[in-house]
Amino acid sequence: MSRTFLSRPPKHVCSDITALAAVQRGQVGAFQLIHERHYPAVHAYATECLADVEAVGGLSTRVFRRVLATRLKGGVVIGVRHPGCLRRELLDGVRSGAVAHAAYDVAALAPGFRDWVAKGAAWPMEDGSQLARAFERLPRSAQILLWHGVVEQEDPRLIARITGRREAAVVASTQQAMELLRGIRLGLHAERMGRPECREALAGLGAALDCAAVSGIAAHGRDCQWCREAGEDLADLDGRLGSHLPAWQLGWWPGPRYLRVKAVSRALVDVPSYVCEFPELSAAWVPNRPRGRGLLSRRKPGDTGGYA
């Protein structure tokens, strides 16, 4: 199998990781890139946590401001739970902030989120746990591709900017990451099988899951519940990844509603006003800056001005 998704990004592309490093050096344009790429998602997730429009805006701002302040101090923005994935870390911050908001203003919570908090804001204990175990065994680069490509269903152009890879390679790289996940998931299923005939049936599947292999596991699965469940899991791994993994990673996941709101949200193309609170920021930046165009000039949403 090709290892495209592990390859180094082109030098001219500014990934999230590269941009975060530039933020630490006080380069405001790098933070603007991060804000443009992730604001629609952060705002959409906050909208599914809080019902009050003003509270949504305030929470979204606090999450980004915390990233900026932390990086300027040399702190770590992306923790061990979400290795390399800034988006998940941002959404994690939104959820934590919304839970804190519930302590003094429950009425401001969105209905679904309010119900989740009322039930103890509990993570799923079983549903998705085995899938999460397989996901966490993936290389960091493969995890990021699957999160943005399969879970968040984002445009390959945006995924290319976030990951720092060429747009033409995004779809193939995401497919390769899914094949790797399927292979890991298959191995985990095989570990649980006690009977030789079960292990043999699963070994016949392979990561590609061709039609003959699926038919074989289906025939064996008529008499074996474990193998039947394993075959169903592997056949629908894409769908399960999108529906089960997010709740395991984030606790609260509104599913399709979040995706719909995100799709109609727009990134703010101007530098957020609160950056003025950080005198250490500089407007002088970064790779491939177009001549004759100011860093802070207004741009259309999605246009990175040559920085990514």
Side-chain angles (χ1 to χ4, degrees):
M1 182 182 70
S2 169
R3 308 289 285 192
T4 305
F5 62 86
L6 297 178
S7 61
R8 292 183 177 181
K11 292 182 178 179
H12 67 280
V13 175
C14 180
S15 68
D16 277 359
I17 298 301
T18 302
L20 284 171
V23 170
Q24 186 176 355
R25 297 192 297 271
Q27 296 170 349
V28 67
F31 180 71
Q32 187 178 6
L33 281 185
I34 290 169
H35 198 271
E36 288 180 3
R37 291 168 180 173
H38 298 286
Y39 181 84
V42 167
H43 185 268
Y45 192 67
T47 298
E48 293 301 318
C49 295
L50 300 174
D52 182 77
V53 175
E54 185 176 347
V56 167
L59 177 56
S60 302
T61 295
R62 287 194 298 276
V63 168
F64 280 106
R65 191 184 185 284
R66 187 179 303 118
V67 168
L68 178 57
T70 301
R71 285 308 293 155
L72 288 174
K73 294 177 182 177
V76 175
V77 171
I78 305 175
V80 294
R81 182 170 176 78
H82 308 300
C85 188
L86 179 59
R87 172 66 58 77
R88 291 208 312 270
E89 196 69 45
L90 290 168
L91 300 187
D92 202 287
V94 171
R95 187 213 61 248
S96 297
V99 170
H101 195 96
Y104 60 88
D105 189 7
V106 175
L109 303 185
F113 187 74
R114 183 168 58 245
D115 292 343
W116 181 71
V117 170
K119 294 175 182 177
W123 258 249
M125 297 305 294
E126 292 297 333
D127 199 19
S129 62
Q130 292 298 315
L131 178 58
R133 183 182 173 196
F135 182 80
E136 289 164 0
R137 291 191 180 188
L138 289 169
R140 177 182 301 180
S141 55
Q143 289 186 30
I144 297 170
L145 281 168
L146 291 180
W147 183 268
H148 286 283
V150 178
V151 174
E152 299 235 18
Q153 302 176 21
E154 295 193 302
D155 190 293
R157 290 173 296 179
L158 179 57
I159 299 174
R161 294 163 185 157
I162 287 170
T163 61
R165 67 188 64 247
R166 292 180 177 85
E167 182 184 338
V170 166
V171 174
S173 297
T174 303
Q175 291 172 347
Q176 290 159 13
M178 179 57 73
E179 289 174 9
L180 182 56
L181 177 65
R182 187 170 284 115
I184 294 172
R185 193 77 186 96
L186 178 63
L188 290 174
H189 278 300
E191 289 176 6
R192 300 170 57 198
M193 301 303 178
R195 298 187 302 174
E197 58 267 33
C198 293
R199 290 194 294 271
E200 182 178 348
L202 285 181
L205 278 176
L209 273 183
D210 58 46
C211 293
V214 172
S215 298
I217 194 67
H220 175 76
R222 282 195 293 267
D223 301 316
C224 178
Q225 180 180 350
W226 276 14
C227 288
R228 182 169 62 252
E229 291 175 354
E232 292 170 354
D233 171 49
L234 293 165
D236 188 36
L237 196 57
D238 300 57
R240 285 174 52 78
L241 188 68
S243 61
H244 291 71
L245 181 69
W248 186 260
Q249 290 284 319
L250 297 170
W252 163 247
W253 184 248
R257 294 194 311 275
Y258 159 75
L259 298 178
R260 288 194 295 269
V261 174
K262 183 181 67 167
V264 298
S265 298
R266 293 292 178 263
L268 303 180
V269 297
D270 291 329
V271 175
S273 59
Y274 55 82
V275 301
C276 298
E277 301 170 20
F278 300 90
E280 58 267 59
L281 287 171
S282 168
W285 198 42
V286 164
N288 296 340
R289 178 175 177 176
R291 293 184 178 275
R293 186 176 187 181
L295 177 67
L296 306 185
S297 60
R298 176 173 289 275
R299 304 201 296 269
K300 296 179 180 179
D303 174 15
T304 59
Y307 303 133

